[in-house]
Amino acid sequence: MVDQRRSGGAGAAGRDGQGGPEHFLVVFPGYHRPWANWIAQRLEFHGRRVTLQRWDPPREVPLEESLGDLLMSTGRVLLVLNDWFFELGPRAAGEWNDVLRGYVADNADRFAAVNLTNRQLPPATAVLEPVSLWSTGEEEAEERLLGRLGIDYRRTTGRQPPASGSRFPNTPPEVWGEVPRRNRRFTGRDDILTELQERLTEAERGNSACTLLGMSGIGKTQIAAEYAHRFSTDYDVIWWVNSDDRNIQRDRFGELSVELGLRSGNEPGERIRAVRDALRRGEPYSRWLVIFDGWDDTDGAGVLLPHGPGHTIVTSRNRGWGEHTDVLDVPSFDRAESTGYLMRRAPHVTSAQADEVAAEFGDVPLSLVQAASLLGETRMEVPEYLRMVREGRLSTVEEPAGDGFPHSSLTSWSILINRLRRTQPQAVEVLSLCASFAPGRIPLGLARAYPQADLPEELRWMSTDLTAWTRALDTLVTYSVLTRESRGPVNTEMGPHQESVHMHRLVHDMVSRLTSDENRETYRKAVRTLLAEADPGNPLDSRQWPQYAELLPHLEPSGALSSSNARVQAAVLNCLQYCRRSGEFTAGTRLAEKIRNHWTVFMDPLAPNMLDLTTQQSNLLRSAGRFREGYELDSAMMQRLRAAEPRNELGELSINGNLASGLRRLGRYQEALELQRQVLADEERLLGENELTSLNARHNLGVGLRLLGRYREAYELDLETLSRRQNALRTRHITTLNSGNAVAHGLRLLGQYRDSVARQEPVVRLHVQVLGPLHPQTLAARTHLALARRREGGFQQDIGPLMDSLMEQLEQVHGRTHYSTLSFINDYGNFQREHGDLAKAKDLIAEAEAGYRALLGPAHPVATGMLANTGLVMQAAGDRSEAMSMFESALAGLTATLGADHPWVLGCALNASGGRNFNGRVADAADLSRDTLRRSRRVLGDEHPLTLSCQTALAADLRALREHEEAEKVEADALLTLTRTLGAQHPHTLSARQRTRPYWDFEAYLG
């Protein structure tokens, strides 16, 4: 491959034969592209013309002929050398020395070289007089380069490379995040790497993402890592995200916020939003590269995949990534790459033998890496090795490895493991321990971090003998079984106790099969013991969430889910609690179901841990919007509790609290309230008035009262709960903050909009300080504040950007179909309708209505209330007949489920009276308006905004009936009260003065 880069100034000191500026052909192995780019940049800056040529001559072509081809270029040939350069091909021993002494020496005036290594090169390399750039600074390297080429460095005034130029290769990016160590044996793949770079750089700005697609073991990760190293000088930020596990993926991506110096809390969703926003803006760095390795599930693409001026690489087996990114298929090695790798790794292997081994393993890179490491380390003869592989006599495993992987690989791995059993048994013990973790990133340092762990006697050496531990790990790395990683902060030296390793999924699969013996349970027990020791013990503390995310994938492979050990079970329940508190509802519900399947086999269904599991599982189901399933789970547990002897009052109390929550979500508000009163009484009787659970029960009673429209009672109860929580738990406790939300919400529902804003603003500030801006509870607090400001009379330019931002963040944290997001979609639609974007309002309201019907069923009060907002959109669009139909349906439905006096029903009645008026049914409208006003005064009071809207509507209906005297009196009284309570410039007051028909929009609230 030749890159044509022909530029240069008129002041060049030397000229080629054509009279132009002096020309250099810079020849480099792909491995050293960063150096070649930098050299070309410096030469061009000094007025020379440069052509870059990546060079990997086929070994079948005589070396003298390949070098002769280089001399067909005009000017001089600059070779970028290191020990790797002389392994290209590879060549037979002595071939390079012969050619250097002969052909190169005869053309010494045409060749020059720089040396990038301190390792020994072929002795005859001296003919090239290479200048060493190894371990030099940038200015020194440039001076040496120019001196070797006879270019006077002193003639220039300042260096000043172009702003878009490549960085000096010895200068690392500003941020370098856990990219795997560079594989010095990386072979070939130059064409794929070049195409990957072209696709990323030529993509449309802001959407430069490419997926490396291929089967397991094909080398996707190695290609991505080599790309990061090879093109590192083109980026200021390179961040590697292991994506085998969603929780680890989210935490790892969010950790970039710290490296970018962003202000964000500990909650993963908050950090992710901050990182994506910074990458999108290109601040503080626009040249960034993010690599998601092993991301097979595309569901989270919309939440994590960054956009902006930088580049994104995904490695995956899932072709569905074609919907989100460009896709580059990764094939097996071509035969030259296979044989070249084998011969470099195992120099005693001949070309013909390498070809035979490559054919045996189908040119699959992972298989060849293992075969080459075994042959290279043991110097086993190839015929003997192939005979053992083909006979399969060392492997008792008959199942295919799957995913297109050669079956012969199992035998090859069996050969390696049997050899290690003889020569390095401790390495096999470490390998067996790794096989009891999940594949991917393994926190192996736990074995040294917790020497107090009750490990089996035969494994205790891992925590006490550092020398043996290091030797065993080095052996496994040498044989390409594991790669080393770091669990600690970026650019921080970690100790052995913090060490992590990475085991490829297929390697894990094969090792698990081949080490399956009577000791397997010993290793699994050791792993789950270590996981229990590593449990931070406080899943409510968001600072501990990254550690829980690392433990979570290993619970099932280690057998922790089926353990009868109390400490292991406690760790499992804490991981489950972490899922709920961190917002990982889907992962949590899956984990809870797996735990239940295991525990049901051996655990009493009424055991304390099973009760705890049920409580957490039903909470997770409700948090995920699976309300019916959560309620049924709690109901089944309550039936068991009531049938048991002796009675478990605390167990019944816990489940009753869950059942009350379930009833509220199912729209059975009166039943929920009655049960919640009983729960509160029982909590205070059994545990005391100011215990955490008693205060939670008191708060939930306020939620139940609000759902029934009993706003004044709810508000007074919330005030009392807030005071008690402040005294018992202090101001910054998460539940105290939630009480602050409830009080401000209550003020808004009571129509005291200014007081609501005044209350909510400091509550939001505290939420952000304590929980971070993207914690689910903080998002709820910020939503309440936006709605309070809207009701207070905020103008579009004030509220619009706030609501835009909230919409994006809610979708990011919860997803588009979560009930919290649906609620805001509805509110956002109402806002858009008010401010003139009717088309957008129509789409949003339709989306929210459809979402709630799918989630709750059409008869649920919230789904029914959505009809009111649909009617308002239709009315604004001029479809008055259909609008009235929607209003009447909402009124009838909510009256049937909530009764005629519920505020939601009163609001629907206000809209229905307007619909009747607009459709010529004025008398019916007046009758409904009069009745609604009477009810609203009794339920909400004379000064509530909804009451005053009903009064204004009645005045309009009376005026239409030509009852002007009464209409004037009713209207004047309403205007006077609106001016006094909301202010003369409030939208409600202005609309009433302009005689614009009032309406009521529905705020979806599930409690």
Side-chain angles (χ1 to χ4, degrees):
M1 190 278 296
V2 178
D3 290 327
Q4 295 295 336
R5 293 180 53 174
R6 299 184 180 273
S7 61
R15 305 279 177 179
D16 62 24
Q18 299 175 346
E22 186 178 11
H23 175 249
F24 288 93
L25 179 68
V26 179
V27 178
F28 63 98
Y31 193 84
H32 278 310
R33 179 179 289 275
W35 276 102
N37 287 339
W38 178 81
I39 289 169
Q41 179 181 276
R42 300 319 309 151
L43 291 177
E44 289 173 351
F45 180 73
H46 288 275
R48 273 53 178 183
R49 292 188 303 116
V50 178
T51 300
L52 294 179
Q53 181 159 323
R54 192 189 73 228
W55 199 58
D56 188 1
R59 66 173 182 274
E60 295 81 9
V61 178
L63 186 54
E64 185 172 317
E65 183 178 331
S66 295
L67 287 168
D69 290 341
L70 297 179
L71 292 186
M72 294 176 69
S73 169
T74 60
R76 299 172 71 186
V77 177
L78 178 65
L79 303 179
V80 181
L81 303 181
N82 71 338
D83 48 328
W84 180 256
F85 188 94
F86 296 101
E87 292 184 14
L88 295 173
R91 301 280 166 179
E95 184 177 354
W96 263 106
N97 275 328
D98 292 342
V99 173
L100 287 168
R101 293 189 184 106
Y103 184 81
V104 173
D106 293 341
N107 296 277
D109 61 322
R110 296 288 308 281
F111 287 102
V114 296
N115 180 18
L116 303 178
T117 182
N118 65 340
R119 301 189 184 197
Q120 184 175 357
L121 300 180
T125 307
V127 71
L128 294 168
E129 300 181 14
V131 60
S132 176
L133 304 185
W134 182 79
S135 194
T136 61
E138 183 171 8
E139 190 169 354
E140 175 68 18
E142 182 172 353
E143 187 169 359
R144 291 185 184 187
L145 168 68
L146 299 178
R148 173 65 182 86
L149 299 177
I151 301 172
D152 191 350
Y153 180 64
R154 291 173 297 177
R155 291 187 185 180
T156 64
T157 56
R159 300 183 50 260
Q160 302 175 0
S164 60
S166 295
R167 191 176 49 253
F168 181 60
N170 284 349
T171 304
E174 292 293 323
V175 177
W176 178 263
E178 291 194 20
V179 179
R181 296 177 184 178
R182 194 168 195 185
N183 180 4
R184 286 187 50 80
R185 299 188 177 100
F186 184 87
T187 292
R189 302 298 202 178
D190 287 325
D191 291 339
I192 289 179
L193 287 163
T194 300
E195 183 173 358
L196 177 59
Q197 187 210 26
E198 290 174 351
R199 293 197 185 192
L200 290 173
T201 55
E202 294 174 5
E204 180 182 352
R205 178 180 171 88
N207 196 31
S208 183
C210 187
T211 296
L212 295 171
L213 183 70
M215 72 178 191
S216 292
I218 206 67
K220 303 182 296 295
T221 298
Q222 287 293 322
I223 292 171
E226 176 62 20
Y227 182 92
H229 288 279
R230 186 170 296 191
F231 296 97
S232 62
T233 55
D234 296 337
Y235 299 99
D236 299 313
V237 175
I238 300 181
W239 196 254
W240 188 277
V241 181
N242 286 318
S243 302
D244 293 331
D245 178 84
R246 183 171 184 268
N247 296 296
I248 292 177
Q249 177 194 41
R250 285 170 54 83
D251 283 327
R252 177 63 189 150
F253 184 57
E255 286 171 8
L256 180 53
S257 66
V258 178
E259 299 302 315
L260 296 179
L262 307 178
R263 290 187 175 183
S264 60
N266 293 319
E267 201 274 322
E270 172 197 343
R271 287 185 164 193
I272 289 167
R273 183 206 62 79
V275 169
R276 290 188 76 202
D277 186 55
L279 297 181
R280 177 182 57 79
R281 291 183 288 105
E283 298 175 359
Y285 304 103
S286 61
R287 303 197 313 168
W288 50 262
L289 171 66
V290 178
I291 300 172
F292 295 95
D293 183 42
W295 193 358
D296 287 330
D297 185 357
T298 64
D299 289 348
V303 175
L304 289 181
L305 199 65
H307 300 279
H311 299 159
T312 303
I313 296 174
V314 176
T315 73
S316 182
R317 296 172 294 161
N318 185 351
R319 191 163 290 277
W321 276 104
E323 298 179 10
H324 305 278
T325 69
D326 192 7
V327 169
L328 179 57
D329 287 290
V330 179
S332 297
F333 275 156
D334 62 37
R335 185 53 52 87
E337 290 173 330
S338 298
T339 56
Y341 180 83
L342 284 162
M343 294 170 69
R344 278 190 289 271
R345 187 73 174 84
H348 69 288
V349 175
T350 68
S351 175
Q353 291 172 336
D355 188 82
E356 196 173 0
V357 173
E360 182 67 33
F361 292 103
D363 294 298
V364 175
L366 186 60
S367 302
L368 291 171
V369 167
Q370 191 275 321
S373 64
L374 178 61
L375 290 168
E377 293 298 320
T378 66
R379 298 194 65 80
M380 183 185 296
E381 292 300 325
V382 170
E384 173 65 10
Y385 173 73
L386 287 175
R387 182 182 62 79
M388 297 169 69
V389 168
R390 288 164 180 165
E391 290 178 358
R393 60 184 175 85
L394 294 180
S395 175
T396 59
V397 182
E398 298 299 330
E399 307 96 310
D403 202 16
F405 213 65
H407 183 270
S408 52
S409 288
L410 280 168
T411 305
S412 180
W413 279 97
S414 179
I415 294 170
L416 171 62
I417 291 172
N418 282 342
R419 179 179 181 83
L420 290 176
R421 283 195 178 105
R422 295 192 304 271
T423 61
Q424 180 59 281
Q426 288 178 320
V428 177
E429 290 178 358
V430 172
L431 193 58
S432 299
L433 191 70
C434 288
S436 296
F437 286 92
R441 188 172 188 169
I442 298 173
L444 194 57
L446 294 180
R448 295 193 58 77
Y450 299 102
Q452 75 276 14
D454 187 19
L455 295 176
E457 186 174 351
E458 61 269 30
L459 299 182
R460 289 177 188 166
W461 66 269
M462 294 183 183
S463 62
T464 58
D465 192 339
L466 178 59
T467 301
W469 170 263
T470 303
R471 184 171 60 248
L473 275 183
D474 286 345
T475 299
L476 295 173
V477 171
T478 298
Y479 280 103
S480 302
V481 181
L482 304 175
T483 55
R484 280 191 168 94
E485 293 187 346
S486 170
R487 293 179 59 219
V490 179
N491 298 326
T492 303
E493 192 68 27
M494 294 294 108
H497 66 288
Q498 295 169 303
E499 193 162 16
S500 286
V501 297
H502 189 276
M503 179 181 272
H504 191 281
R505 184 182 64 84
L506 280 176
V507 174
H508 184 277
D509 178 57
M510 286 186 284
V511 169
S512 297
R513 300 179 189 202
L514 296 170
T515 58
S516 181
D517 53 28
E518 65 278 3
N519 294 323
R520 170 58 55 80
E521 182 52 32
T522 299
Y523 292 104
R524 297 178 78 214
K525 182 178 180 181
V527 169
R528 56 183 178 260
T529 299
L530 291 170
L531 295 177
E533 290 287 344
D535 174 16
N538 186 9
L540 303 184
D541 185 350
S542 61
R543 293 170 298 181
Q544 307 295 341
W545 289 351
Q547 190 162 348
Y548 279 111
E550 188 163 40
L551 300 180
L552 197 64
H554 306 292
L555 295 179
E556 189 171 14
S558 68
L561 303 187
S562 57
S563 174
S564 58
N565 181 280
R567 186 160 187 178
V568 174
Q569 290 178 0
V572 167
L573 289 172
N574 281 340
C575 286
L576 189 62
Q577 180 82 309
Y578 149 76
C579 289
R580 186 167 80 91
R581 293 294 179 175
S582 66
E584 295 293 341
F585 304 139
T586 301
T589 52
R590 290 173 182 165
L591 176 61
E593 188 59 35
K594 289 178 180 178
I595 298 170
R596 181 171 296 280
N597 290 339
H598 285 287
W599 285 6
T600 300
V601 174
F602 64 88
M603 189 179 292
D604 185 328
L606 297 180
N609 277 354
M610 190 64 87
L611 282 168
D612 193 349
L613 170 62
T614 299
T615 299
Q616 290 203 45
Q617 187 174 6
S618 64
N619 280 330
L620 278 162
L621 288 168
R622 278 190 296 278
S623 296
R626 296 162 61 179
F627 306 138
R628 175 63 59 183
E629 292 175 67
Y631 180 75
E632 290 173 351
L633 182 66
D634 290 323
S635 296
M637 176 58 78
M638 182 56 74
Q639 288 179 5
R640 292 193 184 97
L641 285 168
R642 287 173 176 166
E645 290 292 342
R647 184 182 176 189
N648 182 347
E649 281 194 270
L650 289 177
E652 288 185 24
L653 181 55
S654 175
I655 299 301
N656 268 334
N658 275 10
L659 285 170
S661 295
L663 288 168
R664 284 194 295 273
R665 295 294 171 84
L666 292 174
R668 294 158 61 178
Y669 301 145
Q670 190 59 48
E671 292 178 70
L673 184 69
E674 292 169 3
L675 182 56
Q676 190 63 52
R677 287 194 188 281
Q678 177 188 329
V679 168
L680 176 58
D682 290 343
E683 287 277 3
E684 294 182 343
R685 175 174 58 84
L686 293 172
L687 301 174
E689 290 187 349
N690 292 317
E691 288 298 312
L692 177 64
T693 54
S694 300
L695 294 173
N696 290 343
R698 181 175 292 276
H699 172 85
N700 288 335
L701 182 60
V703 174
L705 289 167
R706 269 196 302 281
L707 285 167
L708 281 169
R710 295 159 65 172
Y711 297 153
R712 176 60 61 181
E713 292 177 70
Y715 172 71
E716 291 173 354
L717 182 62
D718 288 331
L719 273 178
E720 181 184 351
T721 305
L722 174 61
S723 176
R724 292 188 181 209
R725 279 176 163 172
Q726 286 173 333
N727 291 332
L729 305 171
R730 299 296 181 254
T731 303
R732 298 169 69 88
H733 193 276
I734 187 172
T735 61
T736 307
L737 295 176
N738 206 24
S739 281
N741 277 338
V743 169
H745 187 192
L747 286 168
R748 176 160 56 84
L749 294 176
L750 289 169
Q752 300 175 40
Y753 302 142
R754 292 176 189 167
D755 292 342
S756 178
V757 170
R759 273 275 191 177
Q760 192 68 21
E761 284 177 339
V763 169
V764 167
R765 285 195 294 270
L766 267 179
H767 270 83
V768 172
Q769 291 171 14
V770 177
L771 302 176
L774 284 188
H775 188 282
Q777 188 171 303
T778 306
L779 284 173
R782 292 169 60 201
T783 299
H784 284 311
L785 179 57
L787 296 178
R789 284 177 175 165
R790 176 182 169 225
R791 297 298 183 196
E792 184 192 23
F795 295 102
Q796 184 175 7
Q797 60 266 33
D798 298 323
I799 305 300
L802 173 62
M803 299 193 83
D804 287 341
S805 174
L806 276 170
M807 183 72 262
E808 178 184 346
Q809 291 164 19
L810 280 160
E811 182 177 359
Q812 179 183 319
V813 171
H814 293 298
R816 192 79 179 181
T817 60
H818 190 270
Y819 61 89
S820 296
T821 311
L822 289 175
S823 176
F824 195 78
I825 290 173
N826 171 59
D827 296 327
Y828 196 34
N830 287 331
F831 172 79
Q832 292 294 342
R833 187 202 69 248
E834 272 188 344
H835 293 281
D837 194 339
L838 193 58
K840 188 172 184 178
K842 181 179 180 181
D843 291 342
L844 290 168
I845 295 298
E847 180 183 357
E849 182 185 348
Y852 274 125
R853 282 178 175 269
L855 184 67
L856 307 171
H860 193 285
V862 168
T864 305
M866 286 299 304
L867 297 175
N869 293 336
T870 302
L872 289 173
V873 170
M874 291 178 172
Q875 185 166 276
D879 194 349
R880 293 182 169 182
S881 176
E882 283 297 317
M884 185 176 70
S885 176
M886 291 291 107
F887 296 148
E888 297 287 2
S889 294
L891 176 59
L894 287 180
T895 301
T897 55
L898 301 178
D901 290 339
H902 194 288
W904 293 356
V905 176
L906 299 175
C908 286
L910 173 65
N911 292 340
S913 70
R916 293 177 186 182
N917 183 303
F918 291 146
N919 282 275
R921 295 171 51 187
V922 179
D924 290 342
D927 290 343
L928 182 57
S929 293
R930 198 180 295 277
D931 181 65
T932 305
L933 175 59
R934 178 179 56 81
R935 293 178 184 277
S936 187
R937 282 173 168 163
R938 184 176 71 248
V939 172
L940 297 173
D942 292 343
E943 297 184 350
H944 193 281
L946 179 55
T947 302
L948 297 173
S949 291
C950 293
Q951 193 169 341
T952 303
L954 176 59
D957 293 333
L958 290 170
R959 193 177 302 109
L961 291 173
R962 302 184 184 280
E963 297 180 17
H964 296 293
E965 185 177 349
E966 184 180 2
E968 292 294 335
K969 183 177 182 304
V970 169
E971 183 181 68
D973 181 61
L975 277 170
L976 182 64
T977 309
L978 281 168
T979 302
R980 178 167 50 80
T981 57
L982 298 181
Q985 298 304 311
H986 192 279
H988 286 0
T989 309
L990 294 174
S991 293
R993 187 171 292 117
Q994 294 163 5
R995 294 183 173 175
T996 302
R997 183 82 188 198
Y999 59 83
W1000 172 84
D1001 54 40
F1002 175 68
E1003 288 182 11
Y1005 176 61
L1006 286 171

